[in-house]
Amino acid sequence: MRDADTVLANVRRGMLPAHIYNDDEVFAAERERLFTRAWVFVAHESEIPQVGDYVVRKVMDNSFIISRDQSGEIHAMFNMCLHRGMQVCRAEQGNASHFRCPYHGWSYRNDGQLAGLPFHKEAYGGEEGFARKQQRLIPAPNVDTYNGLIFVSLDPDAPSLPDYLGDFAFYLDYYTKQSPSGVEVLGPQRWRIKANWKIGAENFAGDMYHTPHTHTSVVEIGLFREPKAAKRKEGCTYWAGRGGGTTYKLPPGTLEERLRYVGYPDEMIERMKEQWSQDQLDVIGRDGFMVSAASVFPNLSLVHNWPKVAEGGDADDDAVLPFISLRQWQPIGPGETEVLSWFVVDKEAPEEFKKLSYKAYVMCFGSSGMFEQDDVENWVSLTTTAGGTMARDLLLHGRMGLLEDDSPVVEPLKPDQFAGPGEARVGYAEHNQRALMNEWADHLDGGVRA
Ligand code: FES
Ligand SMILES: [Fe+2]
């Protein structure tokens, strides 16, 4: 990285050195300093509902088996054999009571404990010479869940997950706790894009500004009820704890009318009313904002939207239906990211709703999604250009919403205008992207974890 102090100082004042989006040294610093510390999303509990279920996921380049053991407890185990380092589990998901290493055949229980090794007696002197009991796949230093979302931190001294998420948990509930049963997820679809991982995280955190331009065609073909993508500027962005997101402004009406407007059936609305706090309900029913895209630092994003899934008039609420997607920007290299995209739906939602919501998701996001394709075209191009030598001298402008003297263009909403925690503002701004990149700078500044 060219003079790390200058790079971080520029990021903190909202001027982004272009090369941070495609630079080997920056990527190495992220690998050593950021992904060894932050809480990183790895899976949702509904992906491993039964005893023995597992998925294999990564935190940066570290592979983990996320398993549910015979007693139902969840584990995240470093997927590297204690013998000579082979990857113990090579399937992406499945159900197993044991994992057997393909190299020499050591086998481990699904809680990580070494169970057996070939020729234990002849080669190791049996239990006396080499006790299996003391051997287990290395557990991730920290594992915790929120609404079934499983997070891992490689830092033994990490703050607790609730402290890390902070007030962003308030907003996570809209996506992942619409009823007492929570959500189930489908996926992930996985694909690789030649783009830096930070671009997607920043975009989902707060980029309402790109919607009218990048996604014009999606609106023009009538996928949305609103005739103008510029409607986005009436929404607000919010930042709380270690995450932030965007909202749409809803038309006047009661809580129920507004939830119906985005396509929720009455039985789901009744459960939301039971499930969410008065403040959570007030953001929608009193203040008229509905969450859309969001990101949690570093690389988890969410999206909630309500496209037209059926032909209908402009005012026809029956024509739109909401979907939720969860996605992870899994870094592969400075110029490459693996995208993991899940469809998310309330477990208690009616079957017909689940079916149509899935249809809405595949139209908009995922490998077939129209938004996805619009976005990625920009991000790949940006990343390619950021890798060139000229980009090293360019500071990108990330100060939208700030005047020259750092005072805000628009003041934050007051508690009687926005019931949610954190700071929310109406209109286009880059406060959220700056908040995300400030976290990034703080992590890179923190030194290499011993
Ligand atoms: S490397 Fe796993 S058994 Fe030898
Ligand atoms: Fe987009």
Side-chain angles (χ1 to χ4, degrees):
M1 197 179 342
R2 304 180 107 200
D3 180 12
D5 289 343
T6 314
V7 168
L8 298 182
N10 277 324
V11 166
R12 287 187 170 117
R13 70 185 178 96
M15 296 303 289
L16 304 150
H19 74 281
I20 65 170
Y21 296 103
N22 194 349
D23 181 295
D24 289 336
E25 282 180 57
V26 171
F27 189 76
E30 291 169 346
R31 188 171 171 272
E32 297 293 329
R33 297 164 185 238
L34 194 166
F35 285 95
T36 52
R37 283 210 177 80
W39 281 93
V40 176
F41 170 77
V42 286
H44 188 265
E45 279 185 33
S46 67
E47 293 181 272
I48 47 170
Q50 309 293 338
V51 160
D53 285 349
Y54 70 87
V55 292
V56 171
R57 294 283 153 73
K58 278 182 173 173
V59 176
M60 178 52 93
D61 43 8
N62 304 295
S63 172
F64 284 91
I65 306 171
I66 317 296
S67 67
R68 193 180 286 275
D69 72 16
Q70 299 310 107
S71 65
E73 204 184 314
I74 290 173
H75 297 266
M77 308 170 292
F78 183 41
N79 188 12
M80 190 174 194
C81 182
L82 301 177
H83 177 225
R84 306 291 292 180
M86 175 62 188
Q87 195 178 336
V88 177
C89 180
R90 299 212 296 170
E92 189 170 334
Q93 56 184 315
N95 183 286
S97 62
H98 291 75
F99 300 101
R100 174 170 288 127
C101 176
Y103 201 175
H104 311 91
W106 286 26
S107 60
Y108 301 87
R109 292 194 327 218
N110 57 13
D111 64 358
Q113 165 88 53
L114 178 62
L117 52 164
F119 307 105
H120 189 195
K121 187 153 183 40
E122 297 89 327
Y124 291 91
E127 208 56 21
E128 231 166 80
F130 183 67
R132 286 170 298 182
K133 264 224 151 55
Q134 272 128 46
Q135 305 294 326
R136 55 171 54 246
L137 293 175
I138 301 181
N142 267 301
V143 187
D144 201 359
T145 63
Y146 184 78
N147 290 353
L149 302 162
I150 307 169
F151 291 85
V152 159
S153 169
L154 306 190
D155 183 359
D157 303 320
S160 71
L161 180 64
D163 283 351
Y164 180 87
L165 293 174
D167 282 336
F168 187 76
F170 177 98
Y171 301 97
L172 263 178
D173 292 350
Y174 291 120
Y175 301 89
T176 53
K177 196 82 185 181
Q178 298 185 339
S179 76
S181 308
V183 291
E184 59 194 23
V185 306
L186 205 64
Q189 291 182 338
R190 290 197 290 116
W191 66 94
R192 287 189 179 194
I193 57 176
K194 295 276 186 199
N196 185 269
W197 68 272
K198 295 188 287 299
I199 305 172
E202 281 186 89
N203 176 286
F204 276 63
D207 197 334
M208 303 202 295
Y209 190 56
H210 83 294
T211 311
H213 200 71
T214 288
H215 301 303
T216 319
S217 62
V218 179
V219 177
E220 278 173 3
I221 62 168
L223 188 58
F224 281 95
R225 172 173 39 198
E226 278 83 14
K228 287 212 165 60
K231 199 171 164 40
R232 282 240 79 174
K233 71 178 188 311
E234 296 163 24
C236 74
T237 57
Y238 63 85
W239 184 271
R242 282 197 174 77
T246 69
T247 66
Y248 277 89
K249 182 77 182 176
L250 298 168
T254 62
L255 172 76
E256 289 82 357
E257 285 164 348
R258 283 170 161 168
L259 284 163
R260 269 184 227 126
Y261 175 82
V262 303
Y264 284 108
D266 285 353
E267 66 160 286
M268 291 182 75
I269 296 174
E270 286 310 308
R271 284 189 286 268
M272 290 170 186
K273 281 160 62 181
E274 291 291 307
Q275 189 58 46
W276 293 339
S277 70
Q278 194 54 49
D279 283 347
Q280 285 171 322
L281 294 169
D282 279 350
V283 168
I284 302 166
R286 189 196 70 180
D287 307 331
F289 295 104
M290 179 58 79
V291 295
S292 180
S295 291
V296 187
F297 180 82
N299 63 339
L300 171 66
S301 293
L302 303 121
V303 58
H304 173 234
N305 220 321
W306 41 98
K308 275 191 189 175
V309 287
E311 287 307 316
D314 278 358
D316 186 1
D317 287 357
D318 293 342
V320 301
L321 203 98
F323 71 87
I324 295 167
S325 168
L326 193 71
R327 60 222 355 262
Q328 189 172 38
W329 315 103
Q330 167 71 46
I332 301 297
E336 190 168 19
T337 300
E338 188 160 289
V339 187
L340 286 82
S341 173
W342 291 261
F343 167 66
V344 177
V345 72
D346 178 39
K347 266 192 195 140
E348 296 185 37
E351 280 313 308
E352 186 61 15
F353 177 92
K354 288 184 183 178
K355 235 171 63 193
L356 287 171
S357 183
Y358 184 71
K359 184 178 162 192
Y361 159 69
V362 295
M363 276 188 337
C364 295
F365 285 92
S367 53
S368 58
M370 284 184 264
F371 282 92
E372 201 84 57
Q373 294 168 32
D374 290 342
D375 285 331
V376 168
E377 190 63 29
N378 293 319
W379 303 347
V380 170
S381 207
L382 191 171
T383 303
T384 309
T385 320
T389 48
M390 277 297 284
R392 292 178 198 152
D393 297 318
L394 176 62
L395 291 178
L396 301 172
H397 202 279
R399 286 179 52 85
M400 196 196 304
L402 289 181
L403 301 171
E404 284 283 314
D405 65 357
D406 285 351
S407 61
V409 175
V410 172
E411 291 300 325
L413 292 171
K414 306 228 162 36
D416 63 343
Q417 298 170 304
F418 188 80
E423 216 169 74
R425 285 184 169 83
V426 171
Y428 299 136
E430 287 163 341
H431 298 286
N432 286 8
Q433 292 93 318
R434 283 192 296 277
L436 190 93
M437 290 308 288
N438 267 305
E439 276 296 335
W440 179 87
D442 289 349
H443 278 74
L444 261 55
D445 225 1
V448 177
R449 194 170 67 68

